[in-house]
Amino acid sequence: MTLNRKKRINMKKQSKQKGSALILALILVLVLSVMATSMMFLSQSETWGSMNYRLMTQARYGAESGLHAAANYLMFTYQTPGTNATDPLAPYGSFSAMQPVLYNNTPVMLSSITSGDVDDAPNYPAAAVQADFLSKVTGSVPAGATAVNYSATATLLTMESISVFGSATPQTVQTWLLTGRGTIAGVRNSTVEVSSVMEQLVSPMFNYAAFAKSNTCAALDFSGSGGSNSYDSSAGSNALANPATGGNVGTNGAVLLQGSATIGGNVSAPHTGVSTSKTACPAGTVDTSLALVTIGNGTLTGSVTRLPQPLNYPTLTVPPPGIINLNLSGKSTDCLAVATCTFLATAGANKTDTYTLPPGSYGDIQASGTNTVLNLTAGTYNINAICSSSSPVFNIVSGPIILNITGNPANLSSSTCANPIDFSAQTIVKNSSGSWDPGTLQMIYEGTGTVNLAGGASGLGLLYAPNASVNMVGGSAWYGSIIGNTINDNGGTAINYDRNLQNEYFTRGNYMLHTFNWSKN
């Protein structure tokens, strides 16, 4: 083979190799181009996804703003039907049996959404309330270069009237379904809805035979042969079939159970500790661990149950008292100062001086003397104080009798009533109305003074004095329920709780939001 031929063959081989390298280079460039393009699309998708997530999150925050704006409106601005002259109860029909509540056969709804969708259209009996809701439950919040718009609807699920202790007028409680809507503009408009149920808690005012609001040791002190029991005023002739259960007591501090006292039920407190040493819980000190201290032969028939938190009671409005002081003691002089007060005296060995005092406004009402009877009849008495001495009889003729007691310290004295409520000195509180319902006599006192309470063979009533020191004296049974700051039962008085109070005299508690849901449209 000649030299020239060899050169030609080598040149052809080199040419083929150069062609393969070019193809490989082109393929590599193509692959890199595809990868770069894919990375660009991936980066762009991540950017759009991140932006959409941000918009959705901002829209959700806006929806929550709308929901909370609706909740704030209903809690602090809105007046329930029946308490607002422009929003009577009549249009709601038999609302207690409906869920949701209907108006014109359509659920009652407040709305601040103006989209035009029929599902968002308001349907509320009072146009002024709907207009107010629209003006207050809509708005926007800044979000960078744009804004999040929010609005809400409130659909009325349930509504009922309850008898609230301390108020002569039934009050309305409601449950609402709130739906907040948040909208923000972007590459794609983002709309999010957040919903929640808001209801107002309702509970019986009188859940215990006795409850001491104080958080101190021995806030509730049972000594001697006293204690608690229960009965049922709705059982007619069997009302006083007292079981050894149901006489539950409670406190935000601790219960001291000593002597031969028996608690016929459970003890409720924020703690569950139990001790048999009085030194473990010195009276007057703040209780941080104990619920019950048992000394001697004191008996608890139930158990110790824990309150999830200290129990607080609402402050009730006590109207101002009158200025006329009445000293009813074997004479009719003071009674004559009241036009509708009547006086009847009988002669003989068993003579009585009977006064019948109508409802009204008075200063101090004082009764004394073993032959003195003070008849009280159904109605409201706005007084400064009520007291006794020397075994008079306070006779409940008819009820309910509501005693609103101011207890102004400046007006209390030994010459009239030294304490705002003083049924000591062997006072007999007698119920001749024929009912064992303790609501026949309701005593409301918001002051911090001392209350001395004694009952006769048929003494009954509800005492609401959450800031007062309550002393049970006299040794006779009391039927009903007692709320005080501290309660001292050293006189052997048995407090018999009416179990029917679970169905009467409620109190409205705080609003609660629950059952949260959200969705993106």
Side-chain angles (χ1 to χ4, degrees), residues 379-410:
T380 299
Y381 296 76
N382 299 322
I383 61 178
N384 185 63
I386 186 168
C387 61
S388 65
S389 61
S390 303
S391 306
V393 174
F394 287 86
N395 184 30
I396 303 169
V397 178
S398 60
I401 295 168
I402 300 174
L403 301 182
N404 290 316
I405 302 164
T406 304
N408 186 348

Side-chain angles (χ1 to χ4, degrees), residues 189-236:
N189 289 346
S190 182
T191 300
V192 174
E193 288 187 347
V194 176
S195 65
S196 178
V197 174
M198 186 181 80
E199 64 177 322
Q200 188 171 25
L201 302 179
V202 177
S203 60
M205 178 70 86
F206 296 93
N207 267 325
Y208 302 92
F211 191 92
K213 193 184 76 171
S214 172
N215 65 348
T216 58
C217 289
L220 181 53
D221 185 350
F222 286 105
S223 303
S225 58
S228 67
N229 214 319
S230 74
Y231 73 104
D232 186 356
S233 64
S234 67

Side-chain angles (χ1 to χ4, degrees), residues 226-446:
S228 67
N229 214 319
S230 74
Y231 73 104
D232 186 356
S233 64
S234 67
S237 59
N238 294 320
L240 301 186
N242 296 347
T245 59
N248 303 328
V249 301
T251 178
N252 291 332
V255 176
L256 176 60
L257 179 60
Q258 55 187 338
S260 58
T262 298
I263 296 175
N266 301 325
V267 168
S268 295
H271 314 292
T272 57
V274 178
S275 175
T276 57
S277 172
K278 192 172 182 178
T279 60
C281 187
T285 60
V286 174
D287 174 39
T288 58
S289 60
L290 294 175
L292 176 67
V293 179
T294 304
I295 307 294
N297 297 320
T299 302
L300 174 67
T301 64
S303 59
V304 175
T305 61
R306 184 168 187 171
L307 292 174
Q309 60 187 7
L311 183 58
N312 291 316
Y313 287 91
T315 300
L316 303 183
T317 301
V318 177
I323 59 174
I324 299 175
N325 292 331
L326 299 175
N327 185 351
L328 307 177
S329 176
K331 57 184 179 180
S332 62
T333 304
D334 284 0
C335 184
L336 292 175
V338 180
T340 53
C341 179
T342 60
F343 171 72
L344 177 64
T346 60
N350 297 320
K351 69 174 184 176
T352 58
D353 296 321
T354 303
Y355 300 86
T356 301
L357 188 64
S361 296
Y362 307 97
D364 293 353
I365 300 176
Q366 181 182 23
S368 58
T370 55
N371 64 333
T372 298
V373 177
L374 174 58
N375 291 329
L376 299 176
T377 57
T380 299
Y381 296 76
N382 299 322
I383 61 178
N384 185 63
I386 186 168
C387 61
S388 65
S389 61
S390 303
S391 306
V393 174
F394 287 86
N395 184 30
I396 303 169
V397 178
S398 60
I401 295 168
I402 300 174
L403 301 182
N404 290 316
I405 302 164
T406 304
N408 186 348
N411 297 340
L412 298 176
S413 68
S414 57
S415 60
T416 54
C417 294
N419 297 309
I421 304 175
D422 197 335
F423 288 159
S424 57
Q426 300 302 313
T427 301
I428 298 175
V429 179
K430 180 182 178 182
N431 174 29
S432 62
S433 67
S435 170
W436 285 100
D437 180 1
T440 305
L441 176 62
Q442 304 172 27
M443 295 173 284
I444 302 172
Y445 170 57
E446 284 287 353

